[in-house]
């Protein structure tokens, strides 16, 4: 099944679309994409009127404008409220010029402005991140995409090279 509108393309091998309620579900190799974003999952449920969706199993969300990719096994998205919520093996990859930062936590919340530009990434519980030159763990982490600041809260530990930093909170400026 291939559906498209002015802004979006949708592909799946099995699915349904209710034209009265503008609610649909796509399964088996399901993908929704536009010029800068792509969502793929085993199952995608979408409510067009409320511009919200739920993706389950093998979820991957890529955004070439914000240079970020999210992975999980469950994700919710609400455009009107400007957020995406990911759980179950949630990972965010912040793509940079020379390297990428891999961020994992039990929950990842991403907030967007009205132009769909990334504002914040909040990661909660058992947070771990890795980049070739820096690694860290903490209870909670917030990334401010507007000014590129990372806030580590709750027993943060930061490693870089042979150095280790332990504090109550840590702020990193990228």
């Amino acid at each position: 099944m291939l559906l498209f509108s002015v802004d979006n393309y949708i592909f799946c091998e099995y699915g349904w679309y209710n034209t009265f309620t503008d609610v649909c579900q796509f399964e088996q190799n399901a993908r929704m994409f536009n010029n800068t974003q792509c969502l793929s999952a085993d199952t995608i449920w979408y409510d067009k009127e409320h511009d919200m969706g739920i993706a389950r199993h093998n979820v991957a969300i890529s955004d070439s404008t914000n240079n970020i990719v999210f992975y999980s096994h469950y994700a919710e998205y609400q455009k009107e409220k400007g957020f995406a919520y990911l759980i179950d093996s949630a990972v965010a990859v912040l793509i940079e010029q020379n390297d990428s930062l891999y961020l994992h936590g039990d929950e990842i919340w991403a907030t967007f402005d009205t132009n769909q530009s990334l504002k914040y990434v909040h990661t909660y519980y058992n947070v771990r991140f890795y980049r070739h030159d820096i690694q860290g763990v903490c209870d909670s982490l917030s990334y401010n995409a507007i000014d590129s600041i990372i806030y580590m809260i709750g027993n943060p530990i930061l490693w870089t090279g042979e150095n280790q930093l332990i504090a109550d909170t840590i702020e990193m400026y990228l």
Side-chain angles (χ1 to χ4, degrees), residues 3-129:
L3 298 171
F4 58 91
S5 66
V6 175
D7 299 326
N8 298 306
Y9 299 88
I10 301 166
F11 173 83
C12 69
E13 295 177 25
Y14 175 80
W16 54 264
Y17 181 76
N18 184 325
T19 57
F20 296 108
T21 62
D22 274 337
V23 173
C24 53
Q25 183 165 308
F26 306 108
E27 299 176 13
Q28 299 175 4
N29 202 20
R31 293 188 302 265
M32 295 178 70
F33 50 96
N34 59 30
N35 292 333
T36 61
Q37 299 168 329
C38 179
L39 164 64
S40 63
D42 291 349
T43 302
I44 300 171
W45 176 89
Y46 183 68
D47 180 340
K48 184 177 178 181
E49 180 182 344
H50 297 101
D51 213 353
M52 62 180 287
I54 297 172
R56 289 186 174 92
H57 308 294
N58 301 311
V59 178
I61 304 167
S62 63
D63 186 330
S64 61
T65 301
N66 294 302
N67 293 323
I68 192 163
V69 180
F70 296 99
Y71 299 100
S72 74
H73 287 293
Y74 180 86
E76 291 182 14
Y77 170 76
Q78 291 191 22
K79 183 176 181 179
E80 190 173 295
K81 294 183 179 180
F83 78 86
Y85 168 71
L86 298 95
I87 57 171
D88 194 2
S89 304
V91 175
V93 181
L94 297 123
I95 301 166
E96 300 171 344
Q97 290 178 349
N98 299 327
D99 197 4
S100 296
L101 178 76
Y102 292 82
L103 174 63
H104 167 75
D106 293 346
E107 298 178 13
I108 296 178
W109 291 79
T111 59
F112 305 90
D113 64 17
T114 54
N115 296 324
Q116 293 300 287
S117 294
L118 182 67
K119 289 175 32 179
Y120 300 99
V121 176
H122 303 287
T123 309
Y124 300 105
Y125 316 117
N126 303 310
V127 176
R128 291 164 178 18
F129 66 89

Side-chain angles (χ1 to χ4, degrees), residues 160-164:
T160 179
E162 295 181 14
N163 300 312
Q164 175 176 307

